[in-house]
Amino acid sequence: MSSFSDHSTKDVVHTQGNPEYATIPHGNAHHVSYTKEVTSDDVLAIRQRALAEIDNAKFGWFHVKACLVAGVGFFTDSYDIFAINLCSLIMGYVYYASAEGDAKNTTPTNIDMWIKGATQLGCIFGQFIFGYLSDRLGRKRIYGVELIIIIVCTIGGSFAGNTARGLSVYWVLFIWRFVLGIGIGGDYPVSAIITSEFATTKNRGAMIAAVFAMQGFGIVAAAIVAIIVLAAFKGAVDGDQQTLDYVWRIIMGLGVVPGIVALYFRLTIPETPRYTLDIEQNVHKAAHDVKTTIGKPTDNDTEDAPLQRSAAENKVQKPTWTEFYHHFKKWKNFRVLMGTSVTWFALDVAFYGVNLNSSIILQAIGFSGKGTPYHELLKTSAGNIILNLLGTLPGYWVTVFTIDRLGRRTIQFIGFVALLILFCILGFAYHQILDKSVAGFVVLITLAQFFQNFGPNTTTFIIPAEAFPTRFRSTCHGISAASGKIGAVIAQLGFFQLKNRGGKNAFIPHLIQIFALFMLIGLVFTWFVPETKGKSLEELNEESENDD
């Protein structure tokens, strides 16, 4: 790849007033007497070279750093989301210790449902708002804001208590968790887009998948932290179960640690060259940033060029909703957004709904049952670690290592087909399987968790980060992700109430049959999703000549 200074038209004496080109210092830094004419062809050539540098760069430390900075955020997100499941369980022993019968030591179903669902509700708003702002203001300007929200709300939630004006600890926690969800939701589009726009074409799928796969580690980490904190308080809990009030607060509060570590790096990450090129329209600055980012030395032209921009670059044109409408009123563009949104929605209905079976699975493998508060909570935490190590984590990382060979669309098809078959078996033969082979039931659920992650749970996150133009990429990812979270809310707040219709857990077989229907919907709408493997972002969106 030749350096940017190799492309020149001619040396001319500096003249003013010509709108067709700008003059850029050319020559020795101590003696600049000539300037280089920069025409629209020059600007296009520099843009193409900058993009080629990104797409064909050797995978290096900057790419690892980008994955880690984004991935730590997803680790924190999943820790916070999963920790509330354990914290709600623990809170029942603190705030309902004096209840009678089955209600004793148990957070009421409606309260449990809302403090868990609050985060998902907040995510819907966060994904849409931050997705739009990332396109409007720039990736760099808002990256880190969502993490600040997460840190503040995690700390606030861990100190939640009954208020003097009558709000219970659960209501206060609901408010903190809702705002926390806005931060977590904002992390989805911004982290995905930043990773995508910095990635090489060859490794882009693996990089985005690796960021998303950190969720699996966050889930396991929450359970491990719960076990450690419980062990530290064992004596106190055995003596007085009210001591568990400290336990759930510490478990929740420790979720800020990885976020604080990542915050500095997020606030100092550079703007993506693609945003600088296509939104700010400053090709010279982008060219310089690319060289700096991938660790290549710069020459005089590249160092001096950002000081003066061509006339064509002077006006920054931010994306507008009118422009968005005109782009997506075309069927070829709208069908992609429809495909990414509907497939994510369909997946999340089942992804969050299948967790309705977690208590049954934990009981089947001997990690549930009555005992002292300490032992009940310890077994639940350990059981969740086992479940995630069996299906969730392997699914994530098989995707990381295969997605750039198999392709996103192929893995999404595989996942939806496998889930459709598994949910049909589980839904229509639920009681027969449980009665004859509990181990068989556990295997089928574990396979479902595996194919959710080696399948649409990961690919629905990746494809929207690649399949849209730079001007709308983050907004479209936010719309797609928000569609998924609407499915999650339906599962957690709607189906959760249906599962005991006709008796305890009596409606679960019918819910699994409904999940199978949603897998069929996801499979059908995958046809509208493009295969993005091996193509540059510009090739995917016909931006090679910056014509869209």
Side-chain angles (χ1 to χ4, degrees):
M1 178 68 65
S2 60
S3 67
F4 295 120
S5 60
D6 289 340
H7 182 88
S8 60
T9 53
K10 58 182 177 179
D11 287 345
V12 297
V13 178
H14 174 68
T15 58
Q16 296 182 351
N18 189 341
E20 299 300 322
Y21 63 86
T23 57
I24 301 175
H26 182 62
N28 189 285
H30 300 289
H31 179 68
V32 181
S33 58
Y34 291 93
T35 57
K36 184 175 74 172
E37 178 183 347
V38 179
T39 67
S40 58
D41 289 340
D42 292 308
V43 172
L44 180 59
I46 295 173
R47 178 182 185 275
Q48 290 174 335
R49 291 184 181 187
L51 292 172
E53 291 275 11
I54 303 170
D55 291 335
N56 302 316
K58 183 179 179 181
F59 187 81
W61 168 242
F62 178 80
H63 299 103
V64 174
K65 180 182 174 182
C67 288
L68 289 174
V69 172
V72 168
F74 273 87
F75 177 98
T76 304
D77 298 346
S78 62
Y79 180 101
D80 287 333
I81 290 173
F82 180 76
I84 193 62
N85 296 328
L86 297 173
C87 290
S88 178
L89 192 63
I90 295 170
M91 289 172 73
Y93 289 96
V94 177
Y95 299 102
Y96 288 90
S98 59
E100 300 294 332
D102 292 338
K104 184 177 178 64
N105 295 330
T106 304
T107 300
T109 300
N110 286 339
I111 295 176
D112 179 69
M113 176 183 67
W114 281 105
I115 62 169
K116 292 177 182 177
T119 308
Q120 308 297 347
L121 286 170
C123 279
I124 296 172
F125 292 93
Q127 287 161 337
F128 183 79
I129 293 169
F130 276 83
Y132 168 72
L133 291 178
S134 178
D135 282 337
R136 183 72 183 176
L137 302 179
R139 287 65 160 129
K140 174 179 172 58
R141 287 185 65 181
I142 66 168
Y143 203 40
V145 175
E146 76 296 328
L147 199 53
I148 292 172
I149 294 173
I150 292 170
I151 291 170
V152 171
C153 292
T154 299
I155 295 172
S158 66
F159 284 98
N162 296 319
T163 68
R165 295 184 178 273
L167 282 180
S168 72
V169 61
Y170 287 103
W171 265 110
V172 174
L173 189 57
F174 173 87
I175 294 169
W176 281 116
R177 298 292 298 184
F178 176 81
V179 183
L180 171 72
I182 294 176
I184 291 175
D187 200 16
Y188 274 67
V190 186
S191 287
I193 299 310
I194 284 179
T195 306
S196 175
E197 292 183 348
F198 273 123
T200 65
T201 301
K202 180 181 178 181
N203 300 307
R204 189 176 61 237
M207 285 180 63
I208 305 173
V211 168
F212 194 63
M214 292 300 290
Q215 286 190 329
F217 289 125
I219 294 170
V220 173
I224 291 173
V225 168
I227 290 173
I228 294 172
V229 176
L230 280 167
F233 279 82
K234 182 180 184 303
V237 172
D238 287 341
D240 180 7
Q241 75 179 52
Q242 289 297 308
T243 309
L244 287 168
D245 194 41
Y246 297 103
V247 173
W248 75 263
R249 296 177 188 275
I250 293 172
I251 294 171
M252 185 178 293
L254 286 174
V256 304
V257 174
I260 291 173
V261 171
L263 182 59
Y264 169 79
F265 297 100
R266 287 201 172 190
L267 292 174
T268 56
I269 199 168
E271 182 58 85
T272 69
R274 283 185 163 91
Y275 188 88
T276 305
L277 283 168
D278 296 332
I279 310 301
E280 296 179 349
Q281 298 183 22
N282 190 339
V283 295
H284 297 297
K285 182 178 184 301
H288 180 265
D289 289 348
V290 169
K291 290 280 191 179
T292 304
T293 297
I294 64 179
K296 287 191 174 183
T298 58
D299 52 38
N300 287 338
D301 279 346
T302 313
E303 289 172 350
D304 293 333
L307 299 176
Q308 298 189 46
R309 303 192 304 175
S310 68
E313 297 177 86
N314 286 334
K315 187 176 180 181
V316 177
Q317 296 182 345
K318 299 289 187 178
T320 65
W321 286 113
T322 301
E323 187 182 3
F324 182 92
Y325 167 74
H326 284 297
H327 181 79
F328 286 101
K329 73 178 182 180
K330 300 175 184 177
W331 170 246
K332 70 171 186 176
N333 298 326
F334 175 74
R335 68 179 183 182
V336 178
L337 181 58
M338 179 181 66
T340 58
S341 299
V342 175
T343 52
W344 205 332
F345 170 83
L347 178 277
D348 269 14
V349 170
F351 182 79
Y352 288 91
V354 78
N355 290 327
L356 298 173
N357 290 286
S358 60
S359 61
I360 299 171
I361 302 169
L362 291 175
Q363 186 173 3
I365 63 177
F367 282 87
S368 181
K370 296 299 181 181
T372 65
Y374 171 79
H375 285 99
E376 280 192 53
L377 294 169
L378 190 69
K379 289 170 71 176
T380 299
S381 299
N384 277 292
I385 292 175
I386 293 171
L387 289 181
N388 282 284
L389 291 178
L390 286 175
T392 303
L393 271 176
Y396 277 127
W397 288 96
V398 169
T399 304
V400 171
F401 292 113
T402 62
I403 193 162
D404 285 313
R405 291 197 298 272
L406 296 178
R408 292 72 156 143
R409 201 162 177 252
T410 300
I411 290 177
Q412 187 157 306
F413 271 125
I414 291 171
F416 272 129
V417 169
L419 290 168
L420 174 60
I421 294 170
L422 288 167
F423 287 149
C424 282
I425 295 171
L426 284 165
F428 290 100
Y430 184 86
H431 293 293
Q432 295 90 321
I433 296 170
L434 266 181
D435 292 341
K436 292 184 178 180
S437 176
V438 172
F441 181 84
V442 172
V443 168
L444 290 172
I445 290 291
T446 300
L447 285 172
Q449 290 176 329
F450 175 84
F451 281 108
Q452 282 176 331
N453 295 296
F454 176 62
N457 188 41
T458 304
T459 55
T460 53
F461 177 79
I462 295 172
I463 295 172
E466 304 174 305
F468 300 103
T470 305
R471 298 181 68 77
F472 313 122
R473 188 170 291 132
S474 187
T475 301
C476 292
H477 195 286
I479 291 171
S480 302
S483 300
K485 281 296 178 281
I486 291 172
V489 169
I490 290 173
Q492 288 197 322
L493 303 186
F495 291 159
F496 190 85
Q497 299 204 50
L498 290 176
K499 74 169 188 173
N500 293 323
R501 185 178 180 183
K504 186 175 182 181
N505 295 327
F507 203 71
I508 283 182
H510 303 295
L511 288 178
I512 297 176
Q513 293 167 16
I514 294 173
F515 299 157
L517 177 61
F518 277 100
M519 295 304 95
L520 179 60
I521 292 172
L523 180 62
V524 171
F525 276 85
T526 297
W527 290 104
F528 297 106
V529 173
E531 178 53 73
T532 57
K533 178 188 73 170
K535 298 178 181 178
S536 73
L537 298 179
E538 287 66 40
E539 287 177 302
L540 287 166
N541 298 287
E542 300 177 358
E543 294 179 309
S544 305
E545 301 297 324
N546 201 28
D547 60 357
D548 193 0

